[in-house]
C-alpha cells in the first residue's frame, strides 16, 4: 500500500484572524488526492518564527511530504524564506535566473517603468541548499528541500501562483518520483431526510463495507452529502469496487437523492434545464440577487437563464413587478400571497418556463411579532402550477440568505422533476 502522505502548512496572521480565508490548503488537498496522495493534516500558523519552526518539526514526523504556502513576499513580515534557510542549514544567495525572471516581469508584464528596488531584488535571494522551482506567474520562486527522508515544498501564498506551480511542476515531479496508489471518492446529495434518519437507513450497508472503504455524512443547509472513499494500490480495482458499492448506496437512497455527483444545487438545476430545453428567471427580495448569482456561476447558464427582478422594496414590488398594492397592504411583503404574485408576474415578464420568487426577513432587524427574523416565503412556478413554501431559519443574515437560496433551488428541482 502507498505510504506517501502529506501535510499542508499555511502561513500568515491574516489567516488566524479571519481576514483572509484559506483556500490554498483546500485546493492543494484536492489536487493531491487526485493523484493518490492522502493529506494527513492541514494547519495554519501565524507569522511567528517559533510556531512555524515547531510546525515543520511536528508535520515532518507525521508526513513524508510537507507543503508550505505563504510568507515569501518582500516585506518584513514575510519570514518563511530566512526561516527555511536556517531550518535546513543553508545561507541566502542571489539566484541569477530568478533575478532575470523578476526583471523580465517588471519590464514586460508589470510595466511599471521603475528600477527594481532592493526589496524586489531580495525576491531572487534563496537558500543555497534548495532546488528552485520557477514561478512563471510571480516573483517569489518555489523551493524544494529534503531532510530526513521528507520533501518540503515552499510555495507562494498567492493562489494562482501556487496552483500554477503545483499543476505544472510539483505534481509531475511527484508522479515521476513515487509509485502512487489510488484514492477514489463518490458523492451523492440527499434532501428531505435528516442525518440520523439517513444513518438508520444505512446501518446494514455500512456493516457491509470493507475496511478500506469508508462512508462519510456531510450535512449542510438541510441536505446531506454522502461520500464513499476507497484507498488502494490498483486503480482499476479501486474504481470497480467503489462503483459497485456506490450503486448499492444510490439504490438505498433513491427516493431522497438529488444528484449522484459532487456538485452544487445550481449545477443540478442547470443540467435539468438544459435537458428539458427550458428557461429560468427570478424575482428576489430578501436574497438581493444571490439566487441569480448562483445560477449564473455555472458555465453555460446563458443557455437557460433569462434575468431577474430584484424587488427589494415595496415600491419596486408594486411598480416594477406589478404586485398588487392591496396584496402588499393586506398581507405584507413576507407572505404567501405576495410571493405567488411575484413568481407569476416574473415568469410572465421575463418570458421563462420557470421562475423563483423569495421574500423574507434576513435579520438582524425587521422582525414583527408574527414574522420573526428568519421567516421566509418562497414560490416556484412552471408546468402550469405554482408551489409555495414557508421556512423559519434561525441563523445570522448571511447564512439565512444562503439557506433561502438553497431551499428555493430545491423547491424548483422538485417542481421540475414532478411528472404529474
Amino acid at each position: 500500500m502507498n505510504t506517501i502522505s502529506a501535510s499542508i502548512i499555511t502561513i500568515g496572521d491574516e489567516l488566524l484572524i479571519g481576514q483572509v480565508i484559506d483556500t490554498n490548503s483546500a485546493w492543494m488537498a484536492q489536487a493531491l488526492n487526485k493523484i493518490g496522495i492522502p493529506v494527513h493534516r492541514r494547519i495554519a500558523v501565524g507569522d511567528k518564527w517559533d510556531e512555524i519552526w515547531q510546525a515543520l518539526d511536528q508535520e515532518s514526523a507525521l508526513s513524508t511530504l510537507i507543503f508550505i504556502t505563504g510568507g515569501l513576499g518582500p516585506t518584513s513580515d514575510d519570514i518563511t524564506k530566512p526561516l527555511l534557510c536556517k531550518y535546513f542549514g543553508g545561507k541566502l544567495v542571489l539566484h541569477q535566473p530568478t533575478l532575470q525572471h523578476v526583471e523580465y516581469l517588471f519590464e514586460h508584464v508589470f510595466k511599471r517603468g521603475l528600477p527594481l528596488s532592493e526589496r524586489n531584488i531580495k525576491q531572487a535571494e534563496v537558500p543555497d541548499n534548495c532546488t528552485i522551482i520557477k514561478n512563471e506567474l510571480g516573483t517569489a520562486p518555489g523551493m524544494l528541500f529534503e531532510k530526513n527522508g521528507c520533501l518540503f515544498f515552499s510555495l507562494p501564498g498567492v493562489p494562482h501562483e501556487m496552483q500554477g506551480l503545483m499543476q505544472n511542476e510539483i505534481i509531475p515531479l511527484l508522479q515521476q518520483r513515487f509509485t502512487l496508489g489510488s484514492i477514489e471518492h463518490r458523492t451523492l446529495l440527499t434532501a428531505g431526510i435528516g442525518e440520523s434518519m439517513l444513518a438508520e437507513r444505512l446501518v446494514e450497508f455500512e456493516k457491509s463495507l470493507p475496511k478500506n472503504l469508508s462512508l462519510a455524512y456531510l450535512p449542510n443547509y438541510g441536505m446531506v452529502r454522502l461520500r464513499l472513499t476507497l484507498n488502494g494500490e490498483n486503480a482499476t480495482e479501486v474504481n470497480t469496487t467503489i462503483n459497485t458499492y456506490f450503486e448499492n448506496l444510490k439504490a438505498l437512497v433513491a427516493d431522497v437523492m438529488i444528484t449522484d455527483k459532487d456538485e452544487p444545487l445550481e449545477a443540478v438545476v442547470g443540467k435539468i434545464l438544459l435537458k428539458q430545453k427550458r428557461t429560468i428567471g427570478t424575482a428576489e427580495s430578501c436574497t438581493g440577487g444571490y439566487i441569480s448569482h448562483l445560477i449564473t456561476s455555472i458555465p453555460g447558464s446563458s443557455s437557460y437563464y433569462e434575468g431577474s427582478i430584484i424587488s427589494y422594496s415595496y415600491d419596486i414590488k408594486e411598480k416594477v413587478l406589478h404586485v398588487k398594492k392591496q396584496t402588499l397592504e393586506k398581507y405584507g411583503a413576507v407572505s404567501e400571497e405576495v410571493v405567488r404574485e411575484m413568481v407569476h408576474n416574473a415568469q410572465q415578464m421575463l418570458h421563462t418556463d420557470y421562475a423563483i420568487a423569495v421574500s423574507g426577513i434576513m435579520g438582524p432587524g425587521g422582525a414583527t411579532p408574527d414574522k420573526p427574523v428568519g421567516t421566509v416565503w418562497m414560490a416556484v412556478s412552471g408546468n402550469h402550477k405554482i408551489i409555495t413554501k414557508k421556512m423559519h431559519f434561525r441563523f445570522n443574515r448571511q447564512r439565512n440568505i444562503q439557506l433561502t437560496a438553497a431551499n428555493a433551488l430545491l423547491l424548483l428541482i422538485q417542481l421540475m422533476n414532478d411528472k404529474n
Side-chain angles (χ1 to χ4, degrees):
M1 177 66 69
N2 170 37
T3 58
I4 303 299
S5 62
S7 288
I8 300 172
I9 303 172
T10 52
I11 298 172
D13 289 341
E14 67 277 8
L15 301 175
L16 298 183
I17 65 174
Q19 189 175 37
V20 173
I21 302 299
D22 172 24
T23 59
N24 279 349
S25 62
W27 187 94
M28 292 173 75
Q30 291 177 348
L32 292 169
N33 258 260
K34 287 180 181 177
I35 62 170
I37 298 176
V39 175
H40 277 181
R41 296 213 303 193
R42 293 162 47 187
I43 66 170
V45 296
D47 296 303
K48 305 292 188 295
W49 187 281
D50 291 344
E51 293 177 9
I52 299 171
W53 193 287
Q54 184 181 29
L56 292 171
D57 282 343
Q58 290 177 341
E59 297 313 308
S60 59
L62 294 170
S63 301
T64 47
L65 304 174
I66 313 299
F67 295 86
I68 310 152
T69 67
L72 297 182
T75 55
S76 59
D77 61 330
D78 292 309
I79 62 173
T80 301
K81 189 159 53 177
L83 184 150
L84 292 174
C85 188
K86 187 169 183 179
Y87 187 84
F88 292 104
K91 63 179 180 180
L92 287 175
V93 296
L94 189 66
H95 187 249
Q96 286 297 329
T98 297
L99 179 60
Q100 293 171 5
H101 178 60
V102 172
E103 291 172 340
Y104 171 81
L105 290 176
F106 272 79
E107 182 178 354
H108 299 286
V109 180
F110 304 153
K111 297 182 179 180
R112 295 179 182 175
L114 298 172
L116 292 181
S117 68
E118 183 178 343
R119 289 183 186 275
N120 299 139
I121 294 174
K122 278 187 171 295
Q123 289 286 78
E125 291 184 353
V126 298
D128 62 351
N129 56 350
C130 76
T131 300
I132 298 300
I133 308 173
K134 185 177 180 181
N135 178 8
E136 295 285 356
L137 302 175
T139 59
M143 298 176 289
L144 168 60
F145 301 87
E146 297 192 42
K147 184 178 181 179
N148 298 331
C150 295
L151 300 184
F152 297 75
F153 296 90
S154 177
L155 308 173
V158 180
H160 77 275
E161 294 182 23
M162 176 276 294
Q163 292 173 18
L165 283 170
M166 286 290 292
Q167 291 172 327
N168 300 326
E169 304 292 339
I170 295 172
I171 287 176
L173 182 153
L174 294 172
Q175 290 173 320
Q176 182 178 14
R177 185 157 180 169
F178 299 103
T179 300
L180 302 175
S182 178
I183 303 175
E184 286 293 331
H185 306 281
R186 298 291 184 271
T187 303
L188 60 82
L189 176 65
T190 67
I193 184 172
E195 181 182 8
S196 58
M197 291 183 64
L198 205 52
E200 285 294 324
R201 184 186 292 198
L202 298 175
V203 167
E204 294 303 318
F205 174 78
E206 289 195 66
K207 289 180 180 178
S208 73
L209 298 178
K211 289 183 178 180
N212 59 338
L213 179 56
S214 61
L215 173 65
Y217 295 80
L218 309 169
N220 189 30
Y221 294 162
M223 298 164 284
V224 181
R225 291 187 189 277
L226 298 175
R227 186 192 67 231
L228 285 177
T229 300
L230 179 60
N231 299 318
E233 294 181 348
N234 185 288
T236 301
E237 291 179 2
V238 167
N239 271 288
T240 299
T241 301
I242 197 170
N243 286 340
T244 298
Y245 280 95
F246 191 56
E247 289 302 316
N248 294 339
L249 177 61
K250 285 163 58 176
L252 292 170
V253 298
D255 59 315
V256 291
M257 187 173 68
I258 301 299
T259 175
D260 62 356
K261 303 287 190 303
D262 188 9
E263 59 188 355
L265 287 173
E266 53 270 25
V268 179
V269 167
K271 287 181 177 180
I272 296 173
L273 289 169
L274 286 172
K275 184 178 180 179
Q276 294 183 356
K277 298 181 179 179
R278 302 284 185 87
T279 56
I280 182 73
T282 73
E284 300 183 55
S285 182
C286 59
T287 48
Y290 184 70
I291 297 173
S292 293
H293 156 71
L294 293 178
I295 293 172
T296 57
S297 69
I298 302 301
S301 55
S302 59
S303 299
Y304 49 80
Y305 173 75
E306 292 294 338
S308 180
I309 300 170
I310 313 300
S311 54
Y312 209 69
S313 68
Y314 270 59
D315 212 32
I316 299 302
K317 285 182 179 70
E318 179 185 349
K319 295 180 178 178
V320 176
L321 196 51
H322 305 310
V323 175
K324 295 184 182 70
K325 184 176 182 179
Q326 55 267 39
T327 306
L328 288 164
E329 290 178 343
K330 183 176 181 180
Y331 300 103
V334 184
S335 64
E336 180 179 19
E337 291 78 9
V338 165
V339 293
R340 275 187 169 275
E341 290 191 26
M342 287 174 66
V343 78
H344 176 269
N345 294 350
Q347 187 179 356
Q348 297 300 312
M349 295 171 68
L350 297 171
H351 304 289
T352 59
D353 299 298
Y354 296 104
I356 297 173
V358 292
S359 185
I361 303 165
M362 299 292 95
T368 64
D370 61 328
K371 296 176 182 177
V373 169
T375 303
V376 177
W377 272 102
M378 57 188 66
V380 293
S381 63
N383 299 331
H384 308 292
K385 67 175 71 173
I386 293 176
I387 301 176
T388 62
K389 189 173 186 178
K390 186 179 184 181
M391 305 291 293
H392 296 281
F393 303 124
R394 62 185 190 279
F395 305 102
N396 61 32
R397 182 179 183 84
Q398 185 58 38
R399 193 171 184 200
N400 286 342
I401 289 172
Q402 293 169 339
L403 281 166
T404 299
N407 280 275
L409 291 172
L410 277 173
L411 195 62
L412 177 66
I413 293 169
Q414 176 187 332
L415 176 64
M416 292 193 296
N417 287 333
D418 189 355
K419 306 298 183 182
N420 297 324

